[in-house]
Amino acid sequence: MRDPLVTGGPDSGPAPITHRAAVLGSPIAHSLSPVLHRAAYAALGLTGWDYGRHEVDEAALPAFLERIAKDQEAGGARWAGLSLTMPLKRAVIPLLDGISATASGVEAVNTVVFGPDGRRTGENTDIPGLVAALRERGVERVGTASVLGAGATASSALAALAAMGAEQVTAYVRGPARAAEMRGWGERLGVPVVTADWASAADALAEPLVVSTTPAGATDHLADAVPARPGALFDVLYEPWPTPLAAAWSARGGVLLGGLDLLVHQAVLQVELMTGRARAPLAAMRAAGEAALAAR
């Protein structure tokens, strides 16, 4: 039986594996990260690179990292980095040797880069990825905005909005604890945050920019509340896509960004960090992601 940690997948090709990377999370079967990173390796001519996908929860994460360390000590292919999704973005922090200022600001790591000496450094590419995706669609600066939901992605959204000059963000959340958490993130990140109860989430749609960080199905009931002339919606889901809210938004002529936009832009930065290449192939990665989604 092949070792799922150290053996390349069926798409690795005949070239010997010299470098490894992977995405970790739970659940993880839906992740498009292998498609995007492998497309980047192909476009960059990195034939010895392999990118895998592993089901790892918080309890299993320390052992997984230890296995990587032992693999490196045994002279295996060099591990370049890891992409992390839920529930690992905060759980990984105590297991790292250091984290970037961007990741520290939101206490969320979605990228681990391994140094030649095995040192583990945590990065957050979600924040600059959000900014890059919005700017690609012509959203250069933000006055006021709304965020639907709380958690690691919501705090990254607040950091991105702060970087784009947001004057005020209204966060729609469930419960006083989440509300207090979001206000705290606003204070920490330097962006004024007011909170509102989830029951009034339809009010969020009137803002010039709406960022939805909620799981699938959570915003379906808002589709009928989309205004006649909506602004921009960034819905971080990519499957199922479009969500009912996204479909209604697009039908009314609003600017629409989806989870694939975020995934591609943050993956571009991950590829650059892990490979050391100055410019990852954005177009090739997006095309690969679109094709994979269309085939599902």
Side-chain angles (χ1 to χ4, degrees):
M1 180 178 294
R2 297 192 302 182
D3 188 326
L5 176 59
V6 300
T7 303
D11 297 331
S12 301
I17 302 303
T18 60
H19 294 78
R20 296 189 184 280
V23 59
L24 314 181
S26 182
I28 200 62
H30 68 286
S31 176
L32 282 178
S33 290
V35 171
L36 302 184
H37 284 253
R38 290 172 184 174
Y41 299 162
L44 293 170
L46 300 175
T47 56
W49 285 68
D50 179 69
Y51 189 99
R53 175 171 52 204
H54 302 282
E55 182 83 16
V56 178
D57 60 14
E58 294 166 285
L61 182 59
F64 191 96
L65 293 175
E66 183 61 25
R67 289 184 66 195
I68 287 178
K70 290 181 178 179
D71 184 41
Q72 301 297 266
E73 292 172 1
R78 179 175 176 266
W79 276 83
L82 298 171
S83 307
L84 303 178
T85 186
M86 298 304 293
L88 305 179
K89 292 184 179 183
R90 287 179 176 151
V92 74
I93 293 176
L95 307 175
L96 301 176
D97 298 303
I99 63 175
S100 69
T102 301
S104 177
V106 293
E107 295 181 3
V109 167
N110 78 324
T111 309
V112 177
V113 179
F114 294 98
D117 58 355
R119 179 179 173 83
R120 307 164 183 163
T121 301
E123 301 279 355
N124 186 308
T125 63
D126 282 334
I127 296 169
L130 276 160
V131 173
L134 284 166
R135 287 179 172 162
E136 183 183 43
R137 298 300 300 276
V139 182
E140 295 286 344
R141 290 192 60 80
V142 176
T144 61
S146 59
V147 172
L148 300 173
T153 304
S155 61
S156 293
L158 285 181
L161 294 171
M164 299 181 75
E167 299 168 3
Q168 180 175 291
V169 177
T170 304
Y172 292 80
V173 299
R174 290 185 172 92
R178 289 293 182 92
E181 179 183 6
M182 291 298 283
R183 289 194 297 269
W185 283 121
E187 292 176 6
R188 180 169 180 169
L189 296 166
V191 56
V193 173
V194 297
T195 55
D197 189 84
W198 182 255
S200 60
D203 296 341
L205 308 187
E207 291 289 347
L209 172 62
V210 182
V211 183
S212 176
T213 68
T214 60
T219 63
D220 291 0
H221 69 289
L222 300 177
D224 292 336
V226 175
R229 301 181 68 179
L233 170 66
F234 201 147
D235 189 330
V236 302
L237 291 172
Y238 63 81
E239 191 175 22
W241 187 261
T243 64
L245 175 60
W249 200 275
S250 180
R252 289 171 173 78
V255 174
L256 178 64
L257 296 91
L260 185 60
D261 294 292
L262 172 58
L263 189 64
V264 169
H265 277 280
Q266 66 82 29
V268 161
L269 299 171
Q270 288 182 334
V271 169
E272 292 170 357
L273 287 168
M274 294 180 193
T275 66
R277 296 296 182 95
R279 192 178 296 274
L282 173 65
M285 294 169 71
R286 174 179 279 129
E290 290 173 344
L293 283 177
R296 288 186 175 181

